[in-house]
Amino acid sequence: QMFIMTAGDIDLGIGTFVGLVDCIVAGLLNDYPIIAVAMLIACPVAYALMGALIHWRQLPSIVVTLGASFVWLGLALMVLPLPGGTVPAALTGLVRLRPPGIPMPIIIAVVPMVLAHLVLNKMSYGVVLRGIGGSLAAVERSGRSTVKARMTLYALAGICGLCAGLCLAAITTTGDANVGRGLTLVSIGAVIIGGGEFVGGIVSPIGTVFGALIMQLSGSLLSFASVPPAW
């Protein structure tokens, strides 16, 4: 969601996209590995093409991604009509590794955070990517391809969704087309809490990760404090 909001867009389909990846892993990866891998590779490509469509046709991202969410959900139900399936043992074993000194969940959170920070804030092309949301006209005047930049942002979002689906499948050890529905609004909240803005161009990878942790842990903290989560 952070990469999408970098372009000043909103993605209402990232949750169901994660659910699609979850279903592909649980429903196909064990029995049909070649087909499953091809579909998993196609997922970020489909996201990049969606970004190109939004850019070329000047369509509202909120409408396109909402429509895409029904496509992701439909594909997930075709792959795995009912919750279940089997996740490969190698994948579940990967998330359950216990590296010495640093817990695996910390590594899973920190590594993407550092990579995203380097891409957006330390690489020269990161200025172009943030410029898509900050000032599209300025990017065009600099001679950079705006459609390529938007496609890159959407492809990065698709890669993040792919990784999230793989992790979710490994943790739950099963597949469910509806497992990611609640993640969409959480992802938007995480970006905003982390210092991002809806106008685009202003995001913080480090803040987004901490925002996600706050969103996910707030329910537990409220329970420990004996405060009803509805509040």
Side-chain angles (χ1 to χ4, degrees), residues 42-182:
C43 285
V45 175
Y47 245 71
L49 294 176
M50 182 171 65
L53 174 65
I54 290 172
H55 188 89
W56 280 331
R57 302 296 297 173
Q58 295 296 300
L59 300 171
S61 61
I62 205 167
V63 175
V64 175
T65 56
L66 178 62
S69 70
F70 297 108
V71 176
W72 311 141
L73 179 60
L75 291 173
L77 290 172
M78 290 174 64
V79 172
L80 198 66
L82 296 173
T86 305
V87 177
L91 188 59
T92 58
L94 182 63
V95 299
R96 292 174 181 173
L97 285 176
R98 295 190 176 184
I102 304 176
M104 193 62 179
I106 300 297
I107 296 176
I108 292 175
V110 170
V111 170
M113 176 182 74
V114 173
L115 289 176
H117 177 75
L118 293 175
V119 169
L120 290 180
N121 298 321
K122 297 301 180 180
M123 293 176 60
S124 59
Y125 195 62
V127 178
V128 178
L129 297 178
R130 285 183 282 115
I132 292 296
S135 178
L136 187 63
V139 176
E140 291 176 341
R141 287 196 296 269
S142 70
R144 296 282 190 164
S145 171
T146 53
V147 65
K148 178 183 175 182
R150 192 180 296 271
M151 288 179 69
T152 300
L153 288 171
Y154 273 76
L156 289 171
I159 292 171
C160 288
L162 174 63
C163 294
L166 292 172
C167 289
L168 191 58
I171 293 169
T172 60
T173 67
T174 187
D176 185 355
N178 296 304
V179 71
R181 279 193 168 185

Side-chain angles (χ1 to χ4, degrees), residues 20-21 24-25 29 35-45 162 166:
L20 170 61
V21 175
I24 293 173
V25 172
L29 195 55
I35 296 175
V37 170
M39 292 180 68
L40 291 174
I41 293 174
C43 285
V45 175
L162 174 63
L166 292 172

